[in-house]
Amino acid sequence: SNRSTAQLCENYPQICNKLNTEDGQCRHERTDLIWLRFDVIKKPSDLNKFDELQLTKKYAKCMSLAAQIESTTLKSKKTLRTEALFHAYDTIDQLELELKSSYQPSIIYYRWTQGDQEALEQFLKLEETEYLDSPEMQLGLASYYVDKDKVHTINLLMKSLTLYDGRSSMTMEKTIPDVVKSLATANH
């Protein structure tokens, strides 16, 4: 029933609150974030919240650059952009806190990459389970072993390639090249 982002913001103002919607800067990142927030309202799962966290980080990165732009005509734009940036940072902190107890492997991996040692222990406990049977998770696991066990690292990277089913273009564009590079480095 929401035909446009503006209509969605009108119907669900809490989704768009403090996102600096009157500005042309970062509109693609903002639009993606708004629609994902709507998905989270419809289905507030950990994975949807994790996607919201990732898009909020992308939006914050864009806003951090936009907040540095000095407007010659409207000085208040810089203030609004800075406020939107701080709100994005607050949202990131809130989402990370909400996801702290999640048992989703991709979220556990994310928490580990952000320095959470408890998450590392949780992630390593999943090593021999089907929960890590994806190219991304095997690559993440290999990154842990890269300095500890070269043979195991290579085996994990090879398994990562065998788990790719050809359906995800994002996996093909990002993960597979990283796996191949890691294999080349490990074998060098």
Side-chain angles (χ1 to χ4, degrees):
S1 65
N2 301 293
R3 292 196 162 96
S4 69
T5 304
Q7 189 176 20
L8 182 64
C9 287
E10 188 178 306
N11 294 338
Y12 298 89
Q14 72 275 21
I15 293 175
C16 305
N17 191 21
K18 300 180 184 175
L19 284 180
N20 199 20
T21 55
E22 302 301 319
D23 195 343
Q25 294 292 327
C26 307
R27 71 178 183 275
H28 297 293
E29 293 84 355
R30 182 178 54 240
T31 299
D32 291 346
L33 180 58
I34 288 168
W35 284 97
L36 187 66
R37 283 181 173 181
F38 181 61
D39 289 342
V40 171
I41 285 176
K42 291 189 301 186
K43 186 180 178 196
S45 69
D46 283 351
L47 291 176
N48 279 348
K49 287 181 183 180
F50 184 57
D51 289 342
E52 181 183 357
L53 173 64
Q54 301 293 50
L55 283 181
T56 304
K57 282 186 158 198
K58 189 175 178 182
Y59 173 71
K61 183 177 180 181
C62 179
M63 285 307 296
S64 70
L65 297 173
Q68 296 174 27
I69 298 171
E70 293 285 345
S71 177
T72 56
T73 55
L74 294 171
K75 298 288 182 191
S76 62
K77 275 193 173 192
K78 184 171 182 165
T79 302
L80 293 172
R81 289 172 182 162
T82 303
E83 288 174 0
L85 176 61
F86 286 137
H87 174 68
Y89 288 150
D90 290 343
T91 303
I92 289 167
D93 290 343
Q94 175 194 350
L95 287 168
E96 285 180 340
L97 187 62
E98 287 177 25
L99 295 172
K100 181 110 177 114
S101 60
S102 176
Y103 289 104
Q104 292 290 337
S106 56
I107 298 170
I108 293 170
Y109 175 69
Y110 167 79
R111 288 183 14 240
W112 166 49
T113 63
Q114 302 303 303
D116 184 342
Q117 290 305 306
E118 183 181 319
L120 171 60
E121 292 173 24
Q122 290 175 323
F123 189 68
L124 292 176
K125 286 179 183 175
L126 296 174
E127 182 173 353
E128 297 297 324
T129 68
E130 71 276 0
Y131 299 113
L132 298 187
D133 282 351
S134 72
E136 294 82 4
M137 293 294 100
Q138 290 297 306
L139 177 61
L141 197 55
S143 71
Y144 171 75
Y145 286 106
V146 73
D147 295 330
K148 296 164 186 57
D149 186 342
K150 186 176 178 179
V151 173
H152 191 54
T153 301
I154 291 170
N155 289 336
L156 289 169
L157 292 169
M158 294 300 289
K159 182 177 179 182
S160 177
L161 290 175
T162 64
L163 291 171
Y164 178 59
D165 59 9
R167 285 188 266 182
S168 172
S169 63
M170 194 164 130
T171 300
M172 181 61 184
E173 293 167 7
K174 185 171 178 359
T175 306
I176 299 303
D178 287 348
V179 170
V180 173
K181 289 176 199 171
S182 297
L183 270 170
T185 302
N187 282 303
H188 181 60

XYZ file of all heavy atoms in Angstrom, residues 53-110:
471
model
N 21.343 -3.075 10.488
C 22.629 -2.607 11.026
C 23.617 -2.326 9.898
O 24.269 -1.274 9.872
C 23.206 -3.651 11.988
C 24.618 -3.406 12.505
C 24.689 -2.147 13.349
C 25.098 -4.621 13.292
N 23.703 -3.248 8.941
C 24.642 -3.079 7.823
C 24.273 -1.845 6.983
O 25.155 -1.077 6.589
C 24.658 -4.326 6.938
C 25.057 -5.598 7.660
C 26.491 -5.620 8.126
O 26.985 -4.702 8.759
N 27.187 -6.683 7.797
N 22.990 -1.668 6.704
C 22.568 -0.503 5.908
C 22.717 0.803 6.696
O 23.010 1.843 6.110
C 21.124 -0.672 5.426
C 20.936 -1.629 4.253
C 19.468 -1.711 3.849
C 21.774 -1.221 3.060
N 22.525 0.742 8.004
C 22.719 1.939 8.824
C 24.189 2.345 8.806
O 24.516 3.536 8.741
C 22.234 1.706 10.269
O 20.866 1.292 10.241
C 22.358 2.971 11.111
N 25.081 1.364 8.841
C 26.514 1.672 8.754
C 26.853 2.297 7.398
O 27.635 3.240 7.318
C 27.348 0.411 8.978
C 27.452 0.014 10.426
C 28.406 -1.142 10.594
C 28.895 -1.164 12.019
N 30.095 -1.945 12.189
N 26.255 1.776 6.348
C 26.473 2.326 5.011
C 25.957 3.763 4.931
O 26.618 4.645 4.381
C 25.761 1.432 3.986
C 26.062 1.728 2.555
C 25.383 0.697 1.662
C 25.614 0.988 0.201
N 24.931 0.023 -0.662
N 24.785 4.000 5.499
C 24.199 5.341 5.538
C 25.086 6.286 6.367
O 25.344 7.426 5.965
C 22.782 5.269 6.113
C 22.130 6.604 6.361
C 21.719 7.408 5.307
C 21.917 7.064 7.655
C 21.108 8.647 5.536
C 21.305 8.286 7.892
C 20.914 9.072 6.826
O 20.319 10.286 7.062
N 25.573 5.814 7.516
C 26.426 6.640 8.378
C 27.719 7.005 7.671
O 28.207 8.144 7.792
C 26.715 5.908 9.686
N 28.268 6.067 6.919
C 29.505 6.346 6.174
C 29.262 7.464 5.154
O 30.063 8.394 5.023
C 29.992 5.075 5.481
C 31.295 5.237 4.751
C 31.745 3.913 4.139
C 33.048 4.075 3.403
N 33.483 2.823 2.791
N 28.152 7.375 4.455
C 27.800 8.406 3.480
C 27.552 9.739 4.180
O 28.035 10.789 3.742
C 26.572 7.980 2.686
S 26.044 9.190 1.463
N 26.810 9.708 5.283
C 26.496 10.943 6.001
C 27.738 11.580 6.612
O 27.808 12.805 6.729
C 25.451 10.688 7.093
C 24.045 10.493 6.572
S 23.433 11.802 5.494
C 23.417 13.195 6.585
N 28.719 10.776 6.977
C 29.943 11.359 7.544
C 30.662 12.206 6.493
O 31.263 13.231 6.826
C 30.863 10.275 8.107
O 31.431 9.511 7.080
N 30.574 11.782 5.247
C 31.148 12.595 4.165
C 30.273 13.807 3.859
O 30.773 14.918 3.679
C 31.331 11.740 2.905
C 32.311 10.579 3.021
C 32.267 9.710 1.777
C 33.719 11.088 3.274
N 28.964 13.590 3.835
C 28.036 14.684 3.531
C 28.070 15.767 4.609
O 27.914 16.950 4.309
C 26.618 14.141 3.375
N 28.298 15.373 5.861
C 28.319 16.336 6.961
C 29.515 17.287 6.864
O 29.523 18.340 7.493
C 28.330 15.607 8.303
N 30.494 16.928 6.071
C 31.680 17.777 5.908
C 31.483 18.846 4.831
O 32.270 19.768 4.724
C 32.890 16.920 5.564
C 33.270 15.958 6.668
C 34.376 15.012 6.233
O 35.176 15.335 5.367
N 34.420 13.839 6.843
N 30.421 18.709 4.039
C 30.168 19.656 2.952
C 29.628 20.957 3.535
O 28.663 20.955 4.294
C 29.165 19.067 1.928
C 29.736 17.804 1.283
C 28.800 20.116 0.880
C 28.737 17.043 0.434
N 30.245 22.050 3.172
C 29.781 23.382 3.600
C 28.821 23.927 2.546
O 29.220 24.174 1.416
C 30.969 24.333 3.753
C 31.917 23.995 4.873
C 31.362 24.337 6.247
O 30.368 25.081 6.339
O 31.933 23.831 7.225
N 27.575 24.102 2.919
C 26.586 24.675 2.004
C 26.761 26.191 1.975
O 26.864 26.835 3.013
C 25.175 24.319 2.472
O 24.226 24.918 1.630
N 26.809 26.744 0.786
C 26.984 28.200 0.667
C 25.697 28.965 0.902
O 25.726 30.108 1.327
C 27.544 28.559 -0.729
O 26.671 28.028 -1.723
C 28.941 28.018 -0.917
N 24.574 28.335 0.665
C 23.299 29.041 0.819
C 22.582 28.689 2.125
O 22.012 29.561 2.759
C 22.362 28.733 -0.359
O 22.196 27.325 -0.477
C 22.924 29.300 -1.649
N 22.591 27.425 2.510
C 21.886 27.011 3.722
C 22.870 26.408 4.724
O 23.243 25.245 4.613
C 20.795 25.999 3.396
C 19.627 26.491 2.550
C 18.749 25.332 2.125
C 18.810 27.506 3.330
N 23.296 27.199 5.673
C 24.250 26.742 6.691
C 23.638 25.664 7.589
O 24.346 24.850 8.148
C 24.728 27.919 7.545
C 25.458 28.993 6.768
C 26.812 28.526 6.332
C 27.542 29.644 5.605
N 28.731 29.216 4.948
N 22.321 25.669 7.700
C 21.659 24.697 8.580
C 21.748 23.265 8.040
O 21.568 22.315 8.796
C 20.202 25.077 8.788
O 19.506 25.050 7.556
N 22.038 23.100 6.745
C 22.139 21.756 6.167
C 23.236 20.953 6.849
O 23.070 19.764 7.115
C 22.406 21.822 4.661
C 21.171 21.964 3.839
C 21.464 21.718 2.388
C 20.167 21.713 1.617
N 20.321 21.206 0.284
N 24.366 21.596 7.126
C 25.475 20.893 7.779
C 25.055 20.415 9.167
O 25.363 19.296 9.567
C 26.704 21.791 7.868
C 27.899 21.078 8.453
C 29.163 21.874 8.340
C 30.303 21.036 8.921
N 31.590 21.517 8.565
N 24.312 21.241 9.884
C 23.832 20.865 11.211
C 22.879 19.678 11.120
O 22.998 18.719 11.894
C 23.114 22.054 11.881
O 24.023 23.146 11.946
C 22.616 21.705 13.272
N 21.951 19.724 10.171
C 20.996 18.620 10.005
C 21.705 17.325 9.618
O 21.347 16.247 10.087
C 19.940 18.990 8.969
C 18.982 20.120 9.365
C 18.105 20.519 8.185
C 18.131 19.703 10.558
N 22.702 17.436 8.764
C 23.465 16.247 8.354
C 24.233 15.669 9.538
O 24.288 14.447 9.716
C 24.418 16.599 7.217
C 23.714 16.878 5.914
C 24.646 17.403 4.872
N 23.924 17.703 3.632
C 24.385 18.466 2.675
N 25.583 19.032 2.783
N 23.669 18.684 1.594
N 24.814 16.535 10.336
C 25.558 16.071 11.509
C 24.616 15.407 12.513
O 24.952 14.361 13.080
C 26.302 17.252 12.170
O 27.167 17.849 11.198
C 27.126 16.800 13.351
N 23.442 15.978 12.706
C 22.453 15.363 13.603
C 22.026 13.993 13.080
O 21.879 13.038 13.851
C 21.241 16.279 13.758
C 21.515 17.505 14.600
C 20.356 18.487 14.626
O 19.307 18.230 13.976
O 20.497 19.525 15.294
N 21.824 13.886 11.778
C 21.448 12.594 11.180
C 22.569 11.574 11.370
O 22.311 10.397 11.635
C 21.124 12.769 9.698
N 23.807 12.035 11.250
C 24.952 11.146 11.444
C 25.002 10.631 12.881
O 25.178 9.437 13.111
C 26.249 11.878 11.086
C 27.548 11.121 11.317
C 27.585 9.845 10.481
C 28.736 12.013 10.986
N 24.828 11.525 13.849
C 24.840 11.099 15.255
C 23.687 10.151 15.556
O 23.851 9.189 16.311
C 24.804 12.305 16.193
C 26.115 13.041 16.254
C 26.134 14.426 16.233
C 27.326 12.376 16.326
C 27.340 15.120 16.280
C 28.528 13.052 16.374
C 28.541 14.428 16.358
N 22.534 10.400 14.951
C 21.404 9.491 15.127
C 21.741 8.106 14.543
O 21.401 7.084 15.141
C 20.139 10.048 14.473
C 18.999 9.093 14.493
N 18.356 8.705 15.641
C 18.400 8.400 13.493
C 17.413 7.835 15.352
N 17.418 7.630 14.053
N 22.403 8.091 13.399
C 22.801 6.807 12.793
C 23.747 6.053 13.721
O 23.617 4.840 13.907
C 23.437 7.040 11.428
N 24.696 6.770 14.319
C 25.626 6.128 15.266
C 24.871 5.557 16.475
O 25.175 4.447 16.933
C 26.687 7.116 15.745
C 27.732 7.481 14.708
C 28.334 8.735 14.726
C 28.115 6.591 13.707
C 29.295 9.084 13.788
C 29.065 6.927 12.765
C 29.657 8.176 12.809
O 30.605 8.516 11.873
N 23.887 6.307 16.972
C 23.076 5.806 18.094
C 22.311 4.555 17.695
O 22.209 3.602 18.473
C 22.093 6.884 18.567
C 22.775 8.049 19.274
O 23.950 7.902 19.686
O 22.145 9.123 19.393
N 21.777 4.547 16.475
C 21.034 3.388 15.985
C 21.956 2.179 15.850
O 21.566 1.056 16.189
C 20.358 3.713 14.635
O 19.506 4.843 14.802
C 19.547 2.534 14.123
N 23.173 2.398 15.368
C 24.151 1.306 15.254
C 24.421 0.704 16.628
O 24.398 -0.519 16.798
C 25.450 1.804 14.583
C 25.200 2.085 13.100
C 26.584 0.804 14.774
C 26.312 2.862 12.410
N 24.659 1.561 17.620
C 24.909 1.070 18.985
C 23.716 0.281 19.510
O 23.878 -0.783 20.114
C 25.202 2.242 19.931
C 26.548 2.896 19.658
O 27.403 2.280 18.977
O 26.745 4.044 20.122
N 22.507 0.788 19.271
C 21.293 0.116 19.737
C 21.122 -1.254 19.071
O 20.836 -2.247 19.736
C 20.073 0.988 19.459
C 18.754 0.326 19.810
C 17.559 1.067 19.227
O 17.675 2.171 18.709
N 16.396 0.440 19.289
N 21.322 -1.314 17.753
C 21.170 -2.586 17.039
C 22.236 -3.590 17.469
O 21.944 -4.779 17.636
C 21.230 -2.353 15.528
C 19.993 -1.678 14.934
C 20.267 -1.219 13.507
C 18.795 -2.635 14.963
N 23.466 -3.135 17.652
C 24.523 -4.045 18.108
C 24.203 -4.606 19.485
O 24.440 -5.785 19.755
C 25.877 -3.341 18.100
C 26.432 -3.184 16.697
C 27.783 -2.496 16.637
O 28.167 -1.785 17.599
O 28.465 -2.662 15.601
N 23.627 -3.781 20.353
C 23.218 -4.240 21.677
C 22.089 -5.267 21.573
O 22.124 -6.305 22.244
C 22.783 -3.045 22.531
C 22.492 -3.323 23.994
C 23.748 -3.834 24.703
C 21.985 -2.070 24.674
N 21.127 -5.013 20.721
C 20.004 -5.954 20.517
C 20.488 -7.283 19.953
O 19.919 -8.334 20.257
C 18.967 -5.348 19.576
C 18.148 -4.241 20.176
C 17.174 -3.634 19.173
O 16.780 -4.318 18.208
O 16.806 -2.454 19.363
N 21.521 -7.260 19.127
C 22.018 -8.483 18.480
C 23.090 -9.199 19.300
O 23.578 -10.242 18.890
C 22.547 -8.141 17.084
C 21.494 -7.635 16.101
C 22.154 -7.155 14.819
C 20.464 -8.710 15.808
N 23.448 -8.660 20.447
C 24.519 -9.229 21.273
C 24.224 -10.660 21.685
O 25.136 -11.464 21.823
C 24.720 -8.352 22.515
C 25.807 -8.795 23.432
C 26.955 -7.841 23.381
C 28.030 -8.241 24.356
N 29.233 -8.647 23.713
N 22.965 -11.007 21.857
C 22.615 -12.356 22.310
C 22.120 -13.248 21.176
O 21.623 -14.347 21.420
C 21.557 -12.276 23.413
O 20.400 -11.645 22.913
N 22.255 -12.809 19.940
C 21.779 -13.593 18.806
C 22.654 -14.831 18.585
O 23.864 -14.801 18.790
C 21.800 -12.740 17.536
O 21.434 -13.526 16.423
N 22.003 -15.900 18.159
C 22.733 -17.136 17.856
C 22.845 -17.395 16.360
O 23.214 -18.490 15.941
C 22.065 -18.331 18.551
C 22.269 -18.294 20.042
C 21.251 -17.901 20.901
C 23.500 -18.616 20.595
C 21.457 -17.840 22.264
C 23.715 -18.557 21.967
C 22.693 -18.171 22.788
O 22.909 -18.105 24.150
N 22.544 -16.398 15.546
C 22.698 -16.533 14.095
C 24.193 -16.519 13.762
O 24.907 -15.603 14.178
C 21.999 -15.385 13.368
C 20.507 -15.401 13.478
C 19.903 -16.558 12.693
O 20.491 -17.091 11.760
N 18.710 -16.963 13.081
N 24.696 -17.505 13.031
C 26.136 -17.574 12.737
C 26.710 -16.310 12.100
O 27.806 -15.876 12.472
C 26.247 -18.773 11.794
C 25.078 -19.619 12.133
C 23.975 -18.660 12.509
N 25.988 -15.710 11.170
C 26.524 -14.508 10.519
C 26.639 -13.348 11.506
O 27.569 -12.536 11.413
C 25.655 -14.104 9.323
O 24.323 -13.918 9.727
N 25.746 -13.292 12.461
C 25.810 -12.238 13.476
C 26.919 -12.528 14.480
O 27.648 -11.619 14.895
C 24.437 -12.067 14.161
C 23.394 -11.637 13.121
C 24.508 -11.068 15.314
C 21.968 -11.651 13.601
N 27.077 -13.773 14.847
C 28.181 -14.155 15.736
C 29.508 -13.810 15.063
O 30.408 -13.246 15.693
C 28.107 -15.655 16.093
C 26.870 -15.940 16.952
C 29.376 -16.103 16.818
C 26.579 -17.414 17.158
N 29.622 -14.130 13.780
C 30.847 -13.811 13.036
C 31.088 -12.292 13.016
O 32.201 -11.830 13.254
C 30.769 -14.365 11.611
C 31.940 -13.975 10.756
C 33.207 -14.485 11.013
C 31.789 -13.090 9.699
C 34.300 -14.114 10.241
C 32.870 -12.709 8.919
C 34.124 -13.235 9.194
O 35.199 -12.856 8.435
N 30.049 -11.544 12.754
C 30.168 -10.081 12.752
C 30.666 -9.584 14.108
O 31.574 -8.755 14.174
C 28.824 -9.431 12.409
C 28.796 -7.951 12.691
C 29.372 -7.048 11.805
C 28.235 -7.453 13.870
C 29.373 -5.688 12.073
C 28.229 -6.104 14.137
C 28.803 -5.219 13.242
O 28.815 -3.878 13.522
